[in-house]
Amino acid sequence: MILVTVGTQLPFDRFIRIVDEAAPSLGRPVFAQVGQGTYQPRNMEYAALIDPLKFDDLIAKTELIVSHAGIGTVVMAQKFRKPVILFPRRAALGEHRNDHQMATVAALEGRSGMYVARVAEELVALMKRPLDPPLTENEHPARDRLQRAIRDFIENGR
């Protein structure tokens, strides 16, 4: 299942419409938390809001999270080791007061298990691909290489 969320503060109809139109081609069920928007999905199950305990349960069961660039969802994706696609709101389109979500995705892009889509085509393409989950706390290849190099230098002088 794909879990879509817009958070609880603002509507994000453009995002929900893109996912809803792509839903029949994704090959797996989609459930969306749509907030207080006016667009009503036709191709996926949805609810305006989800109880926090049920939301945790949905995240635990889902294969992929697709979300606005809210840091709460990023934290939950990391906690449950789920890949997340972030689709930031744009101030120029009236989706938020400023472009802090664009700054958020710029800071997170390329991190393990996090994927960024800035336009509809990128979002749909990412939803159709298998995506790797975030690494666990113990799995950090760059950090591990650095630690080995430091240990080798200290122990062997090289």
Side-chain angles (χ1 to χ4, degrees):
M1 173 181 76
I2 297 174
L3 175 62
V4 179
T5 178
V6 302
T8 58
Q9 294 182 11
L10 298 168
F12 199 3
D13 285 346
R14 177 174 67 98
F15 173 51
I16 295 300
R17 179 177 281 116
I18 292 166
V19 177
D20 186 47
E21 289 173 358
S25 69
L26 298 177
R28 50 192 162 169
V30 181
F31 185 87
Q33 178 268 317
V34 299
Q36 303 304 317
T38 58
Y39 179 80
Q40 300 218 339
R42 295 178 305 272
N43 301 305
M44 59 187 178
E45 292 186 49
Y46 67 96
L49 298 173
I50 303 170
D51 173 81
L53 293 175
K54 182 175 180 181
F55 191 71
D56 284 0
D57 187 50
L58 285 170
I59 288 178
K61 292 177 181 174
T62 195
E63 299 168 34
L64 172 65
I65 301 167
V66 183
S67 177
H68 71 121
I71 204 68
T73 305
V74 170
V75 170
M76 294 300 283
Q78 293 288 305
K79 175 182 174 183
F80 285 93
R81 292 202 66 232
K82 302 296 180 171
V84 62
I85 301 170
L86 301 173
F87 189 74
R89 298 173 194 267
R90 309 264 320 266
L93 300 175
E95 296 166 345
H96 220 305
R97 296 174 295 280
N98 58 44
D99 275 328
H100 74 276
Q101 288 197 357
M102 295 295 285
T104 298
V105 297
L108 295 174
E109 191 166 23
R111 291 186 184 219
S112 165
M114 293 186 207
Y115 304 86
V116 174
R118 291 179 178 83
V119 296
E121 296 80 13
E122 290 174 342
L123 178 59
V124 173
L126 281 169
M127 287 189 297
K128 290 181 177 183
R129 297 184 17 207
L131 300 175
D132 292 327
L135 298 172
T136 67
E137 242 181 73
N138 298 328
E139 300 174 297
H140 289 286
R143 179 202 61 201
D144 296 342
R145 279 192 305 276
L146 178 61
Q147 285 177 339
R148 282 192 301 275
I150 292 170
R151 186 173 41 252
D152 189 48
F153 178 78
I154 291 170
E155 292 174 358
N156 303 314
R158 48 181 164 110

